[in-house]
Amino acid sequence: MRVGAHVSIAGGVDNAVGRQREVGGNCGQIFTHSPQVWQDPNIDDEEAEAFREGTARDLDGPWVIHSSYLVNLCTPKDDLRAKSIDSMQKEVDAAAKLGVEYVNVHLGAHTGAGVERGISNAASALDELDVPDGVTVLVESDAGSGTKLGGDFEHLARVLDESDQELDVCLDTAHAFAAGYDLSTEVGVANAVSEFDDVIGLEHLKCVHLNDSKHECGTNKDEHAHIGEGLIGDEGMRAIVNHPDLRDVPLVLETPNEDGKGFAWNIARVKELRAN
């Protein structure tokens, strides 16, 4: 079972390996810099080598780099589009340097341009990237609030279809639940996985962000809860981690650190649900 968490790179990206082991993870996710600002990854050769060696020695992988929250691939604004493409190029280059397989990105918001143009903008922005060999961009499912795209599986499928890049998908369970896919029961999970396969294709599912939700299904509200303690709940989480089509997909947690519970507690809970 490949399960891990989004860990900090404070003090050097190589420190992420030890932090992942401390919480009981064997794969995981990082930011290469603060996701709230336009900033370039600053990773020197020594750190990169230590990260690669530590990962090979201590973890099963894969790692995922999560792009900046400021990136908006759907935007109709030329300046934001240019910044988003530049930021993504630096992320895929950093991934190659670190030996990281995946760079994860939200499609962003069309901000009034409409769904059709938003999807076209996202696909063409991704086509601007020179993605190094061994790195794949994952487009992430979204909670679908406002004009954000990616809440509907069809949005993701169309970007994959319209882009010339070899793209894959990261499914966030809390986002999908918020977008209206009821993952709170075994039947609901089975239906959602079947729909994902029909619309996108399970061969494109390379990572699951495993998060419970603090808000009801279909509310478009994105707020993560501890595994089994949100509105997806134990039944839904158990169904997800034991679904035969999801068992081999890496699970990366972005659960909160609150109520005396952090990543270690949540990863242990996932392992309990898988075993039972």
Side-chain angles (χ1 to χ4, degrees), residues 74-211:
C74 295
T75 183
K77 300 176 181 178
D78 290 342
D79 57 341
L80 180 53
R81 175 185 171 89
K83 285 182 177 180
S84 297
I85 293 170
D86 180 66
S87 178
M88 283 297 295
Q89 184 63 55
K90 290 182 170 65
E91 299 287 22
V92 296
D93 289 342
K97 184 173 185 176
L98 293 169
V100 170
E101 294 180 45
Y102 301 119
V103 174
N104 182 75
V105 65
H106 297 270
L107 294 179
H110 65 70
T111 61
V115 172
E116 298 297 322
R117 186 176 173 193
I119 289 171
S120 177
N121 287 346
S124 61
L126 290 163
D127 285 347
E128 294 289 321
L129 301 178
D130 181 12
V131 181
D133 290 342
V135 178
T136 301
V137 174
L138 305 181
V139 290
E140 182 180 344
S141 64
D142 199 271
S145 62
T147 65
K148 290 181 180 179
L149 298 184
D152 190 322
F153 290 164
E154 183 66 30
H155 297 164
L156 304 173
R158 289 186 56 192
V159 171
L160 266 62
D161 184 59
E162 291 188 23
S163 174
D164 293 329
Q165 297 282 7
E166 294 294 325
L167 304 170
D168 286 311
V169 172
C170 173
L171 176 67
D172 186 303
T173 56
H175 294 174
F177 187 72
Y181 297 93
D182 189 355
L183 302 175
S184 65
T185 66
E186 187 174 355
V187 170
V189 169
N191 289 340
V193 172
S194 178
E195 183 171 348
F196 185 100
D197 193 25
D198 289 343
V199 175
I200 300 172
L202 282 166
E203 68 274 13
H204 288 294
L205 182 61
K206 301 301 182 184
C207 180
V208 169
H209 281 170
L210 190 68
N211 302 302

Side-chain angles (χ1 to χ4, degrees), residues 31 33-38 66-71 87 91 105:
F31 292 123
H33 57 83
S34 169
Q36 308 285 0
V37 295
W38 294 112
H66 196 301
S67 64
S68 168
Y69 293 144
L70 301 181
V71 168
S87 178
E91 299 287 22
V105 65

